[in-house]
Amino acid sequence: MGHTADEQLLRSLYTEHGGPLLGFVLRLTSGDRHQAEDIVQETLLRAWRHPEIHGDRPLRPWLFTVARNLVVDAHRAQASRGGPRAPLDDAATIAGHDDLDRALESWTVAQALADLSPHHRAVLVETFYRGRSVGEAAAALGIPAGTVKSRTYYALRALRLALEERGVTP
């Protein structure tokens, strides 16, 4: 890879993942923007230095795990130097990989849901999130039960596609 290809890769990593990653790290650092930006930069540099991780699996969960580990490492380093402890969200130290994976899956599903049409999103929220029957969802949405059934069918197909585009496979 030439120098410009390297720059393009780093730029595309930042464009695609920088915003969500910064939001995640800001929550872990209790809003310390300077520290969060440093962590995001280091995380993206590590992804750039290890192009082999861009293979078959989704990149974003790897990025979030690396960022979380960097936040925890920075917190521990500061504590070992005897300095004042940087604010650290308890979730960063308590959450294991399973908790982080569940959080990332939830976040990914929420993003995919946001991409659906308002009609599709509404039937999924009523039937799955709120646990309403077809009849109850129809009454809540003011549409016939048959419409709830067909919209749910197509909404699930659209949601599956949106998740596949994000690297989540069934």
Side-chain angles (χ1 to χ4, degrees), residues 47-112:
W48 173 73
R49 287 184 197 128
H50 298 282
E52 70 276 6
I53 63 141
H54 303 227
D56 297 340
R57 63 182 190 197
L59 181 60
R60 195 164 286 176
W62 183 89
L63 291 170
F64 276 62
T65 301
V66 168
R68 177 192 164 276
N69 291 341
L70 288 170
V71 169
V72 171
D73 291 348
H75 183 70
R76 287 180 182 151
Q78 190 162 9
S80 72
R81 287 191 304 266
R85 288 183 171 236
L88 178 66
D89 187 329
D90 290 339
T93 53
I94 297 170
H97 288 291
D98 289 343
D99 291 339
L100 184 61
D101 288 344
R102 273 196 298 278
L104 288 173
E105 286 171 8
S106 296
W107 176 75
T108 303
V109 170
Q111 258 198 333

Side-chain angles (χ1 to χ4, degrees), residues 115-127:
D115 286 351
L116 299 181
S117 73
H119 292 304
H120 285 166
R121 187 172 41 254
V123 296
L124 291 182
V125 165
E126 293 300 323
T127 56

Side-chain angles (χ1 to χ4, degrees), residues 112-170:
L113 273 171
D115 286 351
L116 299 181
S117 73
H119 292 304
H120 285 166
R121 187 172 41 254
V123 296
L124 291 182
V125 165
E126 293 300 323
T127 56
F128 288 94
Y129 180 71
R130 294 195 173 124
R132 292 186 170 158
S133 68
V134 170
E136 292 168 338
L141 296 170
I143 57 177
T147 303
V148 169
K149 288 180 185 178
S150 66
R151 281 187 187 168
T152 301
Y153 173 79
Y154 289 108
L156 287 172
R157 287 180 64 186
L159 182 60
R160 182 178 297 121
L161 274 173
L163 288 170
E164 286 173 359
E165 287 173 1
R166 287 171 170 74
V168 177
T169 54

Side-chain angles (χ1 to χ4, degrees), residues 6-18:
D6 285 348
E7 288 175 2
Q8 285 177 324
L9 174 60
L10 193 54
R11 199 171 289 126
S12 71
L13 284 170
Y14 188 82
T15 301
E16 186 174 348
H17 304 288

